[in-house]
Amino acid sequence: MAKRSSKSPAGAGPSQRQLRVGEMIRHAIAEMLTRGEIHDDVLGAHVITVPEVRMSPDLKLATIFVMPLGGGEAMEPVLAALDRNKRFLRGEIAHAVNLKYAPELRFRADRSFDEALRIDELLHSPTVRRDLEND
Protein backbone atom coordinates (compact mmCIF):
# COMPACT_ATOMS: atom_id res chain seq x y z
CA MET A 1 0.00 0.00 0.00
CA ALA A 2 1.32 3.44 -0.90
CA LYS A 3 2.36 5.74 1.88
CA ARG A 4 0.37 8.96 2.29
CA SER A 5 2.27 12.15 1.66
CA SER A 6 2.38 14.54 4.61
CA LYS A 7 2.46 17.51 2.25
CA SER A 8 -0.92 18.86 1.28
CA PRO A 9 -1.70 19.89 -2.31
CA ALA A 10 -1.09 23.51 -3.26
CA GLY A 11 -4.82 24.32 -3.28
CA ALA A 12 -5.54 22.75 0.11
CA GLY A 13 -6.54 24.95 3.02
CA PRO A 14 -5.12 25.07 6.52
CA SER A 15 -4.83 21.90 8.60
CA GLN A 16 -7.13 21.09 11.50
CA ARG A 17 -4.32 21.92 13.90
CA GLN A 18 -3.77 25.35 12.31
CA LEU A 19 -7.49 26.08 12.54
CA ARG A 20 -7.74 24.91 16.15
CA VAL A 21 -4.69 26.85 17.34
CA GLY A 22 -5.82 29.95 15.44
CA GLU A 23 -9.21 29.78 17.11
CA MET A 24 -7.63 29.38 20.55
CA ILE A 25 -5.44 32.44 19.96
CA ARG A 26 -8.44 34.39 18.63
CA HIS A 27 -10.39 33.64 21.80
CA ALA A 28 -7.42 34.55 24.03
CA ILE A 29 -6.86 37.92 22.34
CA ALA A 30 -10.57 38.75 22.22
CA GLU A 31 -10.82 37.96 25.93
CA MET A 32 -7.85 40.20 26.75
CA LEU A 33 -9.33 43.06 24.73
CA THR A 34 -12.75 42.61 26.34
CA ARG A 35 -11.38 42.57 29.88
CA GLY A 36 -9.15 45.58 29.21
CA GLU A 37 -5.94 43.75 30.16
CA ILE A 38 -3.96 45.75 27.62
CA HIS A 39 -3.29 49.14 29.17
CA ASP A 40 -3.33 51.44 26.15
CA ASP A 41 -5.50 54.53 25.73
CA VAL A 42 -6.19 53.84 22.04
CA LEU A 43 -7.27 50.25 22.67
CA GLY A 44 -9.35 51.32 25.67
CA ALA A 45 -11.23 53.85 23.55
CA HIS A 46 -12.26 51.38 20.83
CA VAL A 47 -14.29 48.21 20.69
CA ILE A 48 -12.22 45.78 18.63
CA THR A 49 -13.42 42.66 16.84
CA VAL A 50 -11.05 39.78 16.09
CA PRO A 51 -12.82 37.88 13.30
CA GLU A 52 -9.95 35.60 12.26
CA VAL A 53 -6.46 34.37 13.14
CA ARG A 54 -4.45 32.56 10.48
CA MET A 55 -1.57 30.36 11.57
CA SER A 56 1.49 29.43 9.53
CA PRO A 57 1.94 25.68 8.93
CA ASP A 58 4.69 25.51 11.58
CA LEU A 59 2.49 27.46 14.08
CA LYS A 60 5.25 30.02 14.67
CA LEU A 61 3.47 32.95 13.04
CA ALA A 62 -0.05 34.17 13.78
CA THR A 63 -1.65 36.73 11.48
CA ILE A 64 -4.43 38.37 13.48
CA PHE A 65 -7.14 40.22 11.60
CA VAL A 66 -8.79 42.99 13.61
CA MET A 67 -11.61 45.43 12.99
CA PRO A 68 -12.42 48.35 15.30
CA LEU A 69 -16.09 49.18 15.64
CA GLY A 70 -16.71 51.99 13.19
CA GLY A 71 -13.67 50.98 11.10
CA GLY A 72 -12.39 53.70 8.78
CA GLU A 73 -10.08 56.23 10.39
CA ALA A 74 -9.79 54.24 13.63
CA MET A 75 -7.97 51.39 11.90
CA GLU A 76 -4.45 52.87 11.76
CA PRO A 77 -4.23 53.96 15.42
CA VAL A 78 -5.61 50.60 16.58
CA LEU A 79 -3.09 48.64 14.48
CA ALA A 80 -0.27 50.85 15.79
CA ALA A 81 -1.42 50.31 19.40
CA LEU A 82 -1.58 46.55 18.91
CA ASP A 83 1.93 46.58 17.41
CA ARG A 84 3.20 48.56 20.42
CA ASN A 85 1.76 45.92 22.76
CA LYS A 86 2.81 42.92 20.66
CA ARG A 87 5.38 41.69 23.19
CA PHE A 88 2.90 41.72 26.08
CA LEU A 89 0.26 39.97 23.96
CA ARG A 90 2.70 37.28 22.89
CA GLY A 91 3.58 36.54 26.50
CA GLU A 92 -0.06 36.35 27.53
CA ILE A 93 -0.88 34.06 24.61
CA ALA A 94 2.01 31.79 25.62
CA HIS A 95 0.35 31.39 29.03
CA ALA A 96 -3.19 31.01 27.68
CA VAL A 97 -2.47 28.59 24.83
CA ASN A 98 -0.34 25.53 25.50
CA LEU A 99 2.12 25.52 22.59
CA LYS A 100 5.78 24.56 22.28
CA TYR A 101 6.58 28.03 20.92
CA ALA A 102 4.72 31.29 21.41
CA PRO A 103 3.93 32.46 17.88
CA GLU A 104 5.11 35.77 16.49
CA LEU A 105 2.11 38.08 16.09
CA ARG A 106 1.19 40.16 13.07
CA PHE A 107 -1.82 42.44 13.09
CA ARG A 108 -3.69 43.19 9.88
CA ALA A 109 -6.84 45.13 9.07
CA ASP A 110 -9.80 42.86 8.32
CA ARG A 111 -11.20 43.83 4.93
CA SER A 112 -13.82 41.07 4.70
CA PHE A 113 -16.63 43.42 5.79
CA ASP A 114 -15.67 45.90 3.06
CA GLU A 115 -15.55 43.10 0.49
CA ALA A 116 -18.97 41.79 1.56
CA LEU A 117 -20.42 45.30 1.24
CA ARG A 118 -18.90 45.68 -2.24
CA ILE A 119 -20.38 42.38 -3.39
CA ASP A 120 -23.76 43.30 -1.92
CA GLU A 121 -23.72 46.60 -3.80
CA LEU A 122 -22.81 44.78 -7.01
CA LEU A 123 -25.69 42.35 -6.58
CA HIS A 124 -28.13 45.24 -6.09
CA SER A 125 -26.83 47.26 -9.04
CA PRO A 126 -29.30 47.98 -11.87
CA THR A 127 -27.26 45.97 -14.40
CA VAL A 128 -27.32 42.78 -12.32
CA ARG A 129 -30.96 43.30 -11.36
CA ARG A 130 -31.85 43.65 -15.06
CA ASP A 131 -30.00 40.42 -15.91
CA LEU A 132 -31.73 38.55 -13.10
CA GLU A 133 -35.17 39.74 -14.24
CA ASN A 134 -34.51 38.53 -17.81
CA ASP A 135 -33.90 34.99 -16.58
Side-chain angles (χ1 to χ4, degrees):
M1 180 175 262
K3 201 175 189 181
R4 283 184 141 178
S5 174
S6 63
K7 294 184 180 182
S8 60
S15 69
Q16 280 298 118
R17 182 164 173 80
Q18 286 173 275
L19 292 172
R20 184 170 31 94
V21 170
E23 194 64 16
M24 289 168 40
I25 290 173
R26 186 181 77 79
H27 281 281
I29 288 185
E31 198 171 302
M32 283 186 269
L33 290 169
T34 301
R35 282 195 256 143
E37 293 179 14
I38 307 165
H39 302 292
D40 192 293
D41 294 335
V42 175
L43 297 177
H46 292 91
V47 177
I48 301 168
T49 305
V50 183
E52 183 182 8
V53 175
R54 291 184 190 159
M55 298 299 298
S56 64
D58 62 357
L59 304 179
K60 290 186 179 181
L61 176 65
T63 304
I64 302 165
F65 293 90
V66 295
M67 181 69 175
L69 191 64
E73 64 278 345
M75 185 63 76
E76 292 306 316
V78 166
L79 287 175
L82 287 168
D83 277 336
R84 279 194 306 272
N85 293 290
K86 189 185 296 191
R87 186 173 179 193
F88 170 76
L89 287 167
R90 186 176 183 191
E92 292 298 309
I93 287 172
H95 293 295
V97 181
N98 188 19
L99 293 173
K100 189 171 183 177
Y101 300 101
E104 180 186 329
L105 306 179
R106 286 187 188 165
F107 294 97
R108 300 289 185 257
D110 182 39
R111 303 282 184 219
S112 62
F113 296 111
D114 297 336
E115 186 65 17
L117 182 63
R118 187 186 72 78
I119 291 171
D120 196 41
E121 288 173 355
L122 281 173
L123 290 173
H124 289 31
S125 70
T127 307
V128 173
R129 190 175 302 137
R130 182 192 68 224
D131 290 345
L132 290 174
E133 289 172 359
N134 288 341
D135 289 342

